[in-house]
Amino acid sequence: MTEPTRIEADYLIETAYDPRQAAEAMAGEQSSGTFVPIPGETPELKERSAARIERLEVVEEVNEPSLPGAGRPKSGEATYRRARVTLSWPIDNFGASLPNLMATVAGNLFELKQFSGLRLLDIRLPATFADAYSGPKFGIAGTRKLAGVEGRPIIGTIVKPSVGFGPEETAGLAKILCEAGIDFIKDDELQSDGPHCPFEGRARAVMRVINDHADRTGKKVMFAFNITGELDQMRRRHDLVRDLGGTCIMASLNSVGLVGMIELGRFSELPIHAHRNGWGYLSREPMLGWSYVAWQKIWRLAGADHMHVNGLSNKFCEDDESVIASARACLTPMFAEKPCIAMPVFSSGQSAKQAPGTFAALGTTDLIFAAGGGIMAHPDGPAAGVASLCEAWEAATARVPLAEYAKERPALARALEAYAA
């Protein structure tokens, strides 16, 4: 089979114009054309470089525009049609470049007046992108090996309060969590390198605790230090964590940007825990922005080993179906020879009660299950919180109802009672 040489992107559009004409405007704006014919845009050039409409299917009509500022045809037509559109571009337009891919599939098209709604649903890339970028260096297998966890989810938590602790207080909490049997701890995304909790002091204090615990027990807890910053800062922080014996770093994707993540992926010698804070401004309006299915592919290819996907019955606005679709996307191979699988991270209001639904919907334990209050707020303390999560996942994988499994397991019983609301 010939290797495809075109990039494809799927969109959901809404327009008061003829949908095909609107799609043609997209294709022209994002390749060789503009709003009027121009000298030099010959048939030969179009054949070589123009975007193509591969598929177009009208799916419904609505009476009101979803977004402000959209144009209407001179006829004054008031019906807005929604359609699924697939565009494709030749790889030779910009080569295997993620920054220029972003400019092409998610550039000026969002502002075109023909559209009262436009959302990027998915992208498909030629294998030349796999050759150009590292993808996850650790992924699921490497993360499990470093965390020493097989056959079940990696049970994790977040440092809470999110900010306010200094280095020694953070280390004190890490000590409590290590002794509680936790697998994974992460900085909150709001904690990086402030004067009250400087990065170097926090890293040294926390790793002293983690290394001491590992020396005593043989289990090294994975701590994802938030190294988000400018490129030189991220490199120095990464090197410090590595040299201290740490096994994970974290970066906020929307803060460091695509080029920052690409460079981090290239030089990192540790798993990269990719946080999606800010995701809502790219996704919350259903007729604007990105689907996570498309968005996460960019970051996996850049080098993310772990990708946040929210969680079931979460504290945010995302529904469970979307959460599971996001997690499945992270576990779906991107290329035959280079799958670029990332480990989905379930978080946001998680506790023992979500384990059965998460396993039933996803069908795998290849995930990080991060619970803040679900561990720290357990009535009997963090150790019972960790135990309750492990027991909940045992019940889930054995397909035993939680209430039944909890009858002889006090930690799980108390968790179900505490988090019943």
Side-chain angles (χ1 to χ4, degrees):
M1 181 180 295
T2 302
E3 174 62 40
T5 57
R6 297 186 72 86
I7 294 134
E8 288 193 345
D10 302 331
Y11 301 89
L12 177 63
I13 65 170
E14 180 184 285
T15 180
Y17 296 81
D18 174 80
R20 179 159 288 276
Q21 291 178 351
E24 288 171 353
M26 287 173 68
E29 178 70 23
Q30 297 307 115
S31 60
S32 63
T34 184
F35 67 101
V36 292
I38 54 174
E41 192 186 10
T42 63
E44 292 78 14
L45 185 143
K46 284 186 175 182
E47 177 65 25
R48 181 174 67 249
S49 301
R52 295 198 307 237
I53 301 172
E54 302 290 354
R55 287 175 288 278
L56 189 150
E57 176 191 7
V58 176
V59 293
E60 63 179 332
E61 294 184 353
V62 294
N63 292 326
E64 298 293 332
S66 295
L67 304 173
R72 294 170 60 173
K74 293 180 180 180
S75 65
E77 182 180 349
T79 299
Y80 294 83
R81 281 167 285 189
R82 293 177 179 171
R84 291 182 178 271
V85 177
T86 298
L87 300 185
S88 74
W89 295 262
I91 186 66
D92 289 346
N93 276 16
F94 52 86
S97 165
L98 282 178
N100 289 296
L101 171 75
M102 290 275 277
T104 298
V105 302
N108 284 343
L109 72 176
F110 291 107
E111 296 128 78
L112 289 171
K113 70 178 182 181
Q114 287 90 340
F115 300 100
S116 56
L118 194 151
R119 187 174 180 89
L120 178 56
L121 301 178
D122 202 359
I123 52 177
R124 289 172 294 282
L125 305 175
T128 183
F129 276 87
D131 298 332
Y133 292 95
S134 66
K137 292 179 179 176
F138 293 84
I140 293 168
T143 297
R144 284 194 176 283
K145 182 177 180 180
L146 287 171
V149 176
E150 299 292 343
R152 62 170 176 82
I154 292 175
I155 302 300
T157 193
I158 307 97
V159 174
K160 298 293 182 183
S162 305
V163 293
F165 277 176
E168 293 304 326
E169 291 169 296
T170 306
L173 178 60
K175 185 174 189 295
I176 291 170
L177 291 166
C178 287
E179 291 172 353
I182 200 78
D183 302 320
F184 174 91
I185 310 168
K186 62 175 284 295
D187 276 332
D188 190 87
E189 68 274 12
L190 300 177
Q191 181 64 272
S192 181
D193 191 25
H196 184 70
C197 192
F199 184 88
E200 181 173 348
R202 183 171 76 258
R204 290 188 183 279
V206 168
M207 284 310 304
R208 188 161 53 245
V209 165
I210 288 175
N211 289 331
D212 286 349
H213 181 78
D215 290 341
R216 291 195 312 272
T217 68
K219 178 180 175 65
K220 176 171 277 193
V221 173
M222 178 174 280
F223 194 109
F225 290 95
N226 182 18
I227 70 168
T228 299
E230 298 170 13
L231 284 176
D232 286 346
Q233 292 173 323
M234 290 199 293
R235 184 183 290 276
R236 289 196 301 270
R237 292 168 187 166
H238 162 276
D239 290 353
L240 176 64
V241 173
R242 178 202 61 199
D243 294 346
L244 291 172
T247 56
C248 194
I249 54 170
M250 183 180 105
S252 295
L253 299 176
N254 289 318
S255 299
V256 305
L258 181 54
V259 172
M261 184 60 189
I262 290 169
E263 289 305 306
L264 179 57
R266 285 177 177 157
F267 69 68
S268 181
E269 299 173 39
L270 303 171
I272 300 172
H273 187 86
H275 203 294
R276 73 178 196 176
N277 55 88
W279 168 242
Y281 65 70
L282 298 171
S283 64
R284 191 164 183 177
E285 166 52 56
M287 288 304 303
L288 180 66
W290 289 71
S291 159
Y292 192 85
V293 171
W295 190 77
Q296 52 85 35
K297 288 182 177 179
I298 302 288
W299 303 106
R300 285 164 59 191
L301 195 51
D305 293 285
H306 313 154
M307 289 287 297
H308 276 242
V309 298
N310 208 345
L312 301 191
S313 303
N314 57 77
K315 65 183 180 183
F316 298 127
C317 62
E318 189 173 6
D319 62 43
D320 290 353
E321 183 179 355
S322 175
V323 172
I324 294 300
S326 298
R328 287 176 180 158
C330 293
L331 296 167
T332 300
M334 287 184 63
F335 308 99
E337 299 300 321
K338 191 173 184 177
C340 293
I341 300 297
M343 199 167 205
V345 181
F346 285 76
S347 66
S348 173
Q350 301 302 283
S351 68
K353 68 180 184 180
Q354 284 102 333
T358 303
F359 180 70
L362 194 61
T364 181
T365 59
D366 284 334
L367 57 100
I368 296 173
F369 196 75
I375 287 176
M376 299 306 299
H378 191 285
D380 298 324
V386 173
S388 74
L389 291 180
C390 292
E391 290 165 356
W393 276 95
E394 290 170 6
T397 54
R399 293 180 170 81
V400 176
L402 281 183
E404 180 179 338
Y405 205 73
K407 288 178 180 178
E408 298 179 0
R409 293 168 177 84
L412 179 55
R414 291 273 280 165
L416 296 182
E417 180 182 343
Y419 308 121

